[in-house]
PDB file of all heavy atoms in Angstrom:
ATOM      1  N   MET A 238       0.488  45.683-121.213  1.00 93.00           N
ATOM      2  CA  MET A 238       0.642  44.712-122.302  1.00 93.00           C
ATOM      3  C   MET A 238      -0.709  44.092-122.636  1.00 93.00           C
ATOM      4  O   MET A 238      -1.506  43.806-121.740  1.00 93.00           O
ATOM      5  CB  MET A 238       1.605  43.614-121.844  1.00 93.00           C
ATOM      6  CG  MET A 238       2.335  42.959-122.983  1.00 93.00           C
ATOM      7  SD  MET A 238       3.256  41.501-122.427  1.00 93.00           S
ATOM      8  CE  MET A 238       4.425  42.175-121.312  1.00 93.00           C
ATOM      9  N   ASP A 239      -0.949  43.935-123.908  1.00 91.00           N
ATOM     10  CA  ASP A 239      -2.143  43.272-124.413  1.00 91.00           C
ATOM     11  C   ASP A 239      -2.239  41.853-123.805  1.00 91.00           C
ATOM     12  O   ASP A 239      -1.206  41.203-123.594  1.00 91.00           O
ATOM     13  CB  ASP A 239      -1.904  43.263-125.934  1.00 91.00           C
ATOM     14  CG  ASP A 239      -2.840  42.407-126.700  1.00 91.00           C
ATOM     15  OD1 ASP A 239      -3.921  42.904-126.996  1.00 91.00           O
ATOM     16  OD2 ASP A 239      -2.457  41.270-126.987  1.00 91.00           O
ATOM     17  N   ALA A 240      -3.469  41.383-123.499  1.00 93.00           N
ATOM     18  CA  ALA A 240      -3.622  40.093-122.790  1.00 93.00           C
ATOM     19  C   ALA A 240      -3.007  38.937-123.579  1.00 93.00           C
ATOM     20  O   ALA A 240      -2.330  38.066-123.010  1.00 93.00           O
ATOM     21  CB  ALA A 240      -5.095  39.824-122.517  1.00 93.00           C
ATOM     22  N   LEU A 241      -3.201  38.905-124.888  1.00 92.00           N
ATOM     23  CA  LEU A 241      -2.662  37.791-125.671  1.00 92.00           C
ATOM     24  C   LEU A 241      -1.129  37.816-125.657  1.00 92.00           C
ATOM     25  O   LEU A 241      -0.481  36.776-125.582  1.00 92.00           O
ATOM     26  CB  LEU A 241      -3.182  37.835-127.116  1.00 92.00           C
ATOM     27  CG  LEU A 241      -2.783  36.617-127.943  1.00 92.00           C
ATOM     28  CD1 LEU A 241      -3.453  35.344-127.416  1.00 92.00           C
ATOM     29  CD2 LEU A 241      -3.127  36.810-129.414  1.00 92.00           C
ATOM     30  N   GLU A 242      -0.573  39.017-125.655  1.00 93.00           N
ATOM     31  CA  GLU A 242       0.892  39.106-125.623  1.00 93.00           C
ATOM     32  C   GLU A 242       1.428  38.677-124.259  1.00 93.00           C
ATOM     33  O   GLU A 242       2.462  38.020-124.163  1.00 93.00           O
ATOM     34  CB  GLU A 242       1.347  40.518-125.988  1.00 93.00           C
ATOM     35  CG  GLU A 242       1.247  40.727-127.494  1.00 93.00           C
ATOM     36  CD  GLU A 242       1.556  42.135-127.940  1.00 93.00           C
ATOM     37  OE1 GLU A 242       1.618  43.043-127.089  1.00 93.00           O
ATOM     38  OE2 GLU A 242       1.714  42.312-129.165  1.00 93.00           O
ATOM     39  N   ALA A 243       0.699  39.026-123.197  1.00 96.00           N
ATOM     40  CA  ALA A 243       1.140  38.594-121.857  1.00 96.00           C
ATOM     41  C   ALA A 243       1.047  37.071-121.746  1.00 96.00           C
ATOM     42  O   ALA A 243       1.962  36.409-121.228  1.00 96.00           O
ATOM     43  CB  ALA A 243       0.284  39.271-120.786  1.00 96.00           C
ATOM     44  N   MET A 244      -0.032  36.488-122.268  1.00 95.00           N
ATOM     45  CA  MET A 244      -0.161  35.014-122.220  1.00 95.00           C
ATOM     46  C   MET A 244       0.906  34.348-123.088  1.00 95.00           C
ATOM     47  O   MET A 244       1.445  33.308-122.735  1.00 95.00           O
ATOM     48  CB  MET A 244      -1.561  34.596-122.675  1.00 95.00           C
ATOM     49  CG  MET A 244      -2.626  34.942-121.662  1.00 95.00           C
ATOM     50  SD  MET A 244      -4.205  34.203-122.082  1.00 95.00           S
ATOM     51  CE  MET A 244      -4.818  35.285-123.327  1.00 95.00           C
ATOM     52  N   SER A 245       1.208  34.979-124.219  1.00 94.00           N
ATOM     53  CA  SER A 245       2.264  34.440-125.086  1.00 94.00           C
ATOM     54  C   SER A 245       3.605  34.463-124.351  1.00 94.00           C
ATOM     55  O   SER A 245       4.413  33.545-124.467  1.00 94.00           O
ATOM     56  CB  SER A 245       2.395  35.277-126.364  1.00 94.00           C
ATOM     57  OG  SER A 245       1.187  35.313-127.063  1.00 94.00           O
ATOM     58  N   TYR A 246       3.806  35.533-123.590  1.00 96.00           N
ATOM     59  CA  TYR A 246       5.050  35.651-122.805  1.00 96.00           C
ATOM     60  C   TYR A 246       5.131  34.497-121.804  1.00 96.00           C
ATOM     61  O   TYR A 246       6.173  33.852-121.637  1.00 96.00           O
ATOM     62  CB  TYR A 246       5.072  36.997-122.077  1.00 96.00           C
ATOM     63  CG  TYR A 246       6.428  37.667-122.022  1.00 96.00           C
ATOM     64  CD1 TYR A 246       6.587  39.016-122.312  1.00 96.00           C
ATOM     65  CD2 TYR A 246       7.569  36.941-121.671  1.00 96.00           C
ATOM     66  CE1 TYR A 246       7.823  39.641-122.268  1.00 96.00           C
ATOM     67  CE2 TYR A 246       8.816  37.552-121.620  1.00 96.00           C
ATOM     68  CZ  TYR A 246       8.930  38.904-121.918  1.00 96.00           C
ATOM     69  OH  TYR A 246      10.162  39.509-121.873  1.00 96.00           O
ATOM     70  N   TYR A 247       4.023  34.243-121.123  1.00 95.00           N
ATOM     71  CA  TYR A 247       4.009  33.117-120.174  1.00 95.00           C
ATOM     72  C   TYR A 247       4.319  31.814-120.904  1.00 95.00           C
ATOM     73  O   TYR A 247       5.065  30.961-120.421  1.00 95.00           O
ATOM     74  CB  TYR A 247       2.629  32.969-119.512  1.00 95.00           C
ATOM     75  CG  TYR A 247       2.263  34.048-118.515  1.00 95.00           C
ATOM     76  CD1 TYR A 247       0.949  34.164-118.057  1.00 95.00           C
ATOM     77  CD2 TYR A 247       3.207  34.928-118.013  1.00 95.00           C
ATOM     78  CE1 TYR A 247       0.588  35.130-117.139  1.00 95.00           C
ATOM     79  CE2 TYR A 247       2.854  35.901-117.096  1.00 95.00           C
ATOM     80  CZ  TYR A 247       1.555  36.000-116.666  1.00 95.00           C
ATOM     81  OH  TYR A 247       1.201  36.951-115.751  1.00 95.00           O
ATOM     82  N   LEU A 248       3.710  31.670-122.054  1.00 93.00           N
ATOM     83  CA  LEU A 248       3.860  30.409-122.790  1.00 93.00           C
ATOM     84  C   LEU A 248       5.328  30.160-123.153  1.00 93.00           C
ATOM     85  O   LEU A 248       5.849  29.060-122.960  1.00 93.00           O
ATOM     86  CB  LEU A 248       3.007  30.439-124.056  1.00 93.00           C
ATOM     87  CG  LEU A 248       2.990  29.096-124.764  1.00 93.00           C
ATOM     88  CD1 LEU A 248       1.615  28.443-124.609  1.00 93.00           C
ATOM     89  CD2 LEU A 248       3.276  29.227-126.232  1.00 93.00           C
TER      90      LEU A 248
END
Side-chain angles (χ1 to χ4, degrees):
M238 207 189 297
D239 168 84
L241 186 66
E242 283 175 347
M244 288 190 281
S245 302
Y246 219 134
Y247 289 167
L248 187 109

